[in-house]
Amino acid sequence: MSFIFVAHDTPEPSLYGAMAAILAAQKHLPLAHLPVSWDIARYPDACQHVIGEGQLMTSGLLWTERMNPQSAGKVMELEDLLNTYGTQDVVVPLGPMQIIQFTQIARQVRDNALDYELVTVERANQGFVFRRHGQTDEASGCWWRDRYGRWINQNMPPHTGPSLRIALVGSQSDQCSIYPATLAALGDAADALSLSLDMVYAAPQALEDHLHEVMENVDGILLPGGSAMCNVTGQICAAHYALNRNIPILGLCLGMQTMTTAIVQKMLGSTKANLAEADANAEIKTFIPLTDTPTFPVHRLGDYQMHCRPGSRLNDILGDEFTVRYNHRFHLEPELKPDLEKFGLHISGTDATGKIADGIEFTHHPFYLGVQGHPELSSLRVKPHPLLTAFLKAAGSKRS
């Protein structure tokens, strides 16, 4: 039995484990992974991928679920990994720091009387290839990312269908190099609808001063999740823009929180409402820690059932119940709910208790919908997530 270590010396979190996932899929082997660290100051969303079992890990491990598909599994220390996979072949990705430590890793593998192979990932003219003992593995092919960041090894025919101009509120670097799931999920939905997307990467900080220039002529706006609170003001600006112009908008996790906050500001006629996480001194806190409510968890992480309100747009899209992957520590302030319902913001999705707002929609708008979870993490090229598909259909309807 052998451990196949795949070393990819790159600082991009979105690349960690990607080529290893491709190799594991080609060989029909499981993928396991060791603890890995990133420069969080430079890459705040480096570890925002969530597995269904409920653990945060490097965002690039998304590709394991998309390639096989199977869960990336929990992070394992080397000793546990050796004990778990000592009787079968397994693929193990190595990041930059692990490559530096590989001499010690190899020694521990040998000390356990186990075999290993080191495969390196190197850049080729088009993309990336595997190399063994200094020779390129031609059989495994050359792999690169398409315009939606998804891994391919052959050129795909261009779309001849209609094109939509979609604003993804985040820098292109964030969406491609750090957290690739949202862009990939948009690509899945676009392929299913035979659409070509003209992507507008709207950096949130730029929206505070250049909102109208950046958002000009967009057909739809997507507010992604993320842990960087510096993006909140820009996301709220984008939500107001969508409200004022009836532009279809979808919010994911943080995006749901900011688009709800925009409605609260509109309802109260005040910009003093904000997320507690973004402004602890806000006069009106729209989303508060889960732990402020008795019986609620500290951190909701992993797969849970969302219950959709009968008669809602969310119910039309997902049905009565739908499994959603979550990663959040804040929820909608309960005291705001009655007034928001009267104003037209319906809580169209909840947790099993009915107390946590998991989905919202504004009834005075053609498509103003947000979910507290991460549907982008459950999207596949062959099976796009229905929320992303519904969003693009709404954007297309606006244009027609």
Side-chain angles (χ1 to χ4, degrees):
M1 298 302 141
S2 178
F3 289 81
I4 304 172
F5 292 101
V6 180
H8 194 168
D9 192 3
T10 171
E12 291 187 37
S14 69
L15 292 179
Y16 173 76
M19 289 292 285
I22 289 169
L23 189 64
Q26 288 180 336
K27 292 181 173 293
H28 305 289
L29 294 176
L31 182 145
H33 51 102
L34 300 163
V36 62
S37 60
W38 304 93
D39 182 352
I40 300 301
R42 182 180 178 187
Y43 302 117
D45 292 326
C47 297
Q48 290 296 304
H49 179 64
V50 187
I51 58 172
E53 301 93 311
Q55 190 178 73
L56 280 172
M57 54 190 55
T58 302
S59 298
L61 289 167
L62 160 79
W63 306 114
T64 301
E65 299 201 28
R66 288 181 62 98
M67 292 287 178
N68 283 347
Q70 65 176 32
S71 170
K74 295 188 176 183
V75 177
M76 303 176 74
E77 296 291 344
L78 182 57
E79 184 175 348
D80 292 335
L81 191 151
L82 296 177
N83 290 334
T84 302
Y85 292 98
T87 59
Q88 66 180 114
D89 292 346
V90 63
V91 176
V92 183
L94 300 177
M97 291 304 297
Q98 296 162 326
I99 293 171
I100 294 172
Q101 301 164 352
F102 186 68
T103 300
Q104 294 96 313
I105 293 173
R107 182 182 299 116
Q108 191 168 343
V109 174
R110 290 195 302 269
D111 288 346
N112 281 266
L114 298 170
D115 294 328
Y116 73 87
E117 178 184 11
L118 179 63
V119 179
T120 61
V121 177
E122 297 188 13
R123 187 176 289 277
N125 291 334
Q126 260 187 320
F128 297 95
V129 296
F130 298 107
R131 289 178 66 85
R132 291 180 168 86
H133 310 295
Q135 300 294 316
T136 299
D137 182 355
E138 302 289 351
S140 294
C142 181
W143 292 80
W144 63 95
R145 291 174 284 185
D146 69 7
R147 60 193 304 263
Y148 302 114
R150 301 170 302 178
W151 289 86
I152 56 175
N153 65 347
Q154 59 184 347
N155 289 315
M156 308 301 290
H159 282 296
T160 57
S163 176
L164 294 179
R165 187 171 169 82
I166 300 296
L168 178 52
V169 180
S171 70
Q172 186 169 2
S173 174
D174 286 348
Q175 302 304 316
C176 296
S177 300
I178 305 176
Y179 186 84
T182 308
L183 183 59
L186 274 171
D188 299 336
D191 286 351
L193 298 173
S194 297
L195 295 171
S196 176
L197 302 186
D198 176 13
M199 298 301 305
V200 176
Y201 297 97
Q205 290 81 359
L207 296 181
E208 297 177 40
D209 299 315
H210 304 285
L211 178 65
H212 297 276
E213 299 96 310
V214 175
M215 291 294 185
E216 185 177 7
N217 296 324
V218 300
D219 299 303
I221 299 171
L222 196 152
L223 304 178
S227 60
M229 291 298 103
C230 60
N231 293 337
V232 166
T233 301
Q235 283 207 5
I236 293 173
C237 289
H240 278 296
Y241 189 87
L243 279 171
N244 295 334
R245 288 162 179 77
N246 284 331
I247 298 172
I249 183 170
L250 175 65
L252 312 178
C253 198
L254 178 67
M256 186 196 96
Q257 296 182 10
T258 55
M259 67 193 300
T260 302
T261 300
I263 295 290
V264 175
Q265 291 180 353
K266 184 179 179 70
M267 178 179 71
L268 300 177
S270 171
T271 59
K272 295 179 180 179
N274 205 347
L275 317 181
E277 188 177 11
D279 182 4
N281 298 315
E283 286 188 21
I284 302 163
K285 296 180 177 62
T286 55
F287 282 77
I288 61 174
L290 284 165
T291 51
D292 284 2
T293 304
T295 75
F296 280 11
V298 174
H299 193 172
R300 199 153 159 249
L301 199 60
D303 285 346
Y304 293 90
Q305 287 293 307
M306 178 170 67
H307 298 256
C308 301
R309 181 175 181 167
S312 66
R313 181 185 289 269
L314 198 61
N315 189 287
D316 289 343
I317 297 169
L318 300 179
D320 294 336
E321 292 185 9
F322 201 88
T323 301
V324 181
R325 196 160 297 181
Y326 292 90
N327 170 24
H328 72 112
R329 295 174 292 111
F330 290 76
H331 73 115
L332 178 60
E333 165 60 70
E335 293 183 2
L336 292 172
K337 292 179 181 180
D339 288 339
L340 283 171
E341 285 280 350
K342 292 176 185 176
F343 192 69
L345 186 85
H346 289 179
I347 298 169
S348 51
T350 69
D351 71 325
T353 69
K355 295 180 180 179
I356 299 177
D358 278 345
I360 59 93
E361 54 195 70
F362 191 46
T363 57
H364 307 311
H365 188 279
F367 191 97
Y368 193 95
L369 193 150
V371 290
Q372 185 61 77
H374 289 275
E376 73 277 12
L377 296 179
S378 303
S379 181
L380 298 173
R381 186 187 287 268
V382 296
K383 189 179 181 182
H385 198 284
L387 272 176
L388 277 298
T389 306
F391 165 64
L392 291 185
K393 285 181 178 178
S397 297
K398 173 187 178 296
R399 171 165 288 198
S400 61

